[in-house]
Amino acid sequence: MIGEGIQSTNQRRHSFVDDHVEVGFFTDPSVCIGCKACEVACKEWNEVPDDGFTWTGNSYDNTGHLGASTWRHVLFVEQNRSKGNQIAGPMSLGGEEQDPFRWIFLSDVCKHCENAGCLEACPTGSIVRTEIGSVLVQNDVCNGCGYCVVACPFGVIDRRPAPLPDAGGAFKCTFCYDRQKSGLTPACAKVCPTESIVFGRLDDLRVRGTRRVQTLQESGYGDARLYDPKETSVGGIHAFFLLLGEPEAYGLPPKPQVPTIHLKSSWSAALATAIGAIATVALVFALFWDA
Amino acid sequence: MRQEAKHGITGRGVDVSGGPIPRSVGYYGEAVVKPPVWTWEIPLYFFVGGAAGMAPLIACAGLYLGQLDLMRAALWIAAAGAIISPALLVMDLGRPMLFFNMLRVFKYRSPMSVGAWILSLFGASAVPAWLILELYTNDAFAPSIAPMVLFVTGLLSFGAAIFGLGLATYTGVLLGATAIPAWFLHRVFLPMHFGTAGLGCAAAILELLGFQIRPLYALGMVVAIIETLLWIWLEFDKNGPADRALHRGSIGWLIRGGAVLCGPLPIVLRLTNFVSLAAIAFLLGALLSRFGWIAAGRVSGRDPEAVFASQK
């Protein structure tokens, strides 16, 4: 926590990998200042290549979305609603009425799902679950089949296009597994100047998140809520968020589902089709064959 | 300024009509899930794999009835498909050299993994079955072991038929078990459509190879009727914005066109005795439909409104 100095879970060394402790990120937009230090730290530490300098025209967000070469993405949400107890003045000259306006920043990242669609879909075993509960893509094993891309309910993982380095493989946030093995905290959390990104034990963070929502609601942020879809088949996420307002405005699915829930009905249809095909072929040859 | 810029501005920009607040769906209309990265190889593979997968079933019928010519032709389709299919799949991989990593593990909960194994086992049974039968019909074996050889190729054909049924239908499950709304909403439809189209294609190719016999005529008729019924189902099973990619614009016409070419048109052509034309129409329709479904997935994946609507 801010004020704890080097004793903050974002700064102090740990042994979560050796101790097999489930870790997480709690990302809180109510204290985010949109500095994008997390994006930069992530790119630098992980040597993620530059994927183009394009202007989106979407507020101050020129990153666009998470992808193979973007593992942290700061969203800039503009809404015509007041932020907490904010008193808004008129937006236009000479106007009388209040024009509520809020600008919310949220650092988006891979959610490291409890039931991860990408991990289930991966046919090579390249995507694994680590000791700390994160979902990791092993770059040297991935053959770039692209199935994880359509299996992720959050649109996080993507295949890196040529001519970027390591093109053809699927990439996403590694939860700085390499740093964590050495007892370091993930690069994004390490640099976050306001501790909007908090790294720590998952159970501690969940308590902290619930308490933060309570505090905010008591201070007038009526639409503060946690985004941690435990009630859907995703079963909760290890990198969870505090949101002001509905998840849709942040490009987050309201009820994400892990695609494996569709397997049973789909395979049943395949089985029925196979039996139907056998019966049809047997029938047409039995009825219409004249030697 | 945007017009003057030579390069580097790809976004749509802020919707300025009436104020500073953007009115796009979700977060500036950005995609919520990722559209598929697959290119033309995959729908073509679905087509080839479907036809090849269903062919050994007809080969088994040929063997049962002692029609080795029919069996030979059907196994030829299977073997050719078993060689073309992996080539298409490998071409689509981001790292083709690592193709064999598919066979490091077997994950029954991943249709991609199940499919890779099905395709491998299909190839391992269909290709030798065809080769041995070719040698058999060219009298390469001594008469003393000939019946034994025929038994082996029959066994391999049976294996190819079983794995082939998986090959022709798993592709529907592959699309059905994803986060793409237009696909997973039709997870029951897709294996039925792909499997039926595969069976029709196998029969159609055999008819075009000269096997215009009554059972294949009837088979062509049955699959065209089923395809017509599936089309009617698809047209009625609309989910509003969630799967609008299937019904809208050029992709809508691609899927609809494929359905007409697979369903009503071959029925009419068969009844008016244009059997070869009916076969060609069916093959074309099955091909167009596969391309339509992949293209619809791309549009549906990019559409945030579709994702939100599918989770209501």
Side-chain angles (χ1 to χ4, degrees), chain B residues 127-149:
Chain B
V127 174
W130 168 72
L131 260 178
I132 294 170
L133 189 65
E134 278 299 308
L135 294 173
Y136 176 86
T137 45
N138 287 310
D139 297 319
F141 299 103
S144 55
I145 59 158
M148 185 66 188
V149 168

Side-chain angles (χ1 to χ4, degrees), chain A residues 53-59 61 64-67 73 75-80 91 101 119-126 139-147 149-150 152-159 166-169 171 248-256 259-260 262-263 265-267 269-270 273-274 277-278 280-281 284-285 288-290, chain B residues 1-2 8-14 20-22 26-28 30 32-38 54 57-58 61 65 67 70 92-96 98-99 101-102 104-105 107-114 118 165 169-170 172-180 183-184 187-188 191-192 195-196 199 213-216 218-219 222 307-308 311-312:
Chain A
F53 293 94
T54 51
W55 280 23
T56 64
N58 301 333
S59 194
D61 179 2
H65 37 75
L66 292 173
H73 165 219
L75 299 126
F76 289 73
V77 178
E78 298 179 1
Q79 287 177 319
N80 48 356
M91 199 101 86
F101 175 83
L119 191 153
E120 298 271 21
C122 179
T124 62
S126 159
N139 179 38
D140 53 337
V141 181
C142 173
N143 66 11
C145 77
Y147 198 43
V149 177
V150 285
C152 173
F154 299 99
V156 170
I157 194 165
D158 205 356
R159 196 161 83 177
D166 273 331
F171 288 91
E248 285 91 334
Y250 299 83
L252 293 168
K255 281 188 200 133
T260 42
H262 305 312
L263 283 177
S265 48
S266 202
W267 276 120
T273 310
I278 296 171
T280 309
V281 171
V284 292
F285 277 92
F288 297 102
W289 179 254
D290 35 18
Chain B
M1 213 169 80
R2 287 175 70 81
I9 301 182
T10 56
R12 296 161 307 280
V14 180
I21 307 299
Y27 180 71
Y28 301 103
E30 288 287 345
V32 174
V33 297
K34 286 265 182 287
V37 289
W38 299 326
M54 285 298 189
L57 204 57
I58 300 171
L65 296 169
Q67 298 299 307
L70 177 67
D92 186 68
L93 289 180
R95 292 164 174 168
L98 298 181
F99 169 73
N101 281 3
M102 288 277 192
R104 274 177 87 230
V105 285
K107 288 167 80 175
Y108 69 94
R109 284 165 67 80
S110 164
M112 182 69 90
S113 174
V114 174
I118 285 178
L165 286 166
T169 53
Y170 97 86
V173 183
L174 187 79
L175 300 190
T178 63
I180 306 291
W183 289 351
F184 77 71
R187 57 189 176 272
V188 174
M192 292 186 168
T196 311
L199 184 57
I213 50 176
R214 287 181 65 209
L216 289 183
L219 188 56
V222 172
V307 178
F308 297 145
Q311 296 180 6
K312 283 270 150 41

Side-chain angles (χ1 to χ4, degrees), chain B residues 13 19 32 68 71 79 135 158 179 202 241 306:
Chain B
V32 174
L68 291 192
M71 186 185 179
L135 294 173
F158 181 74

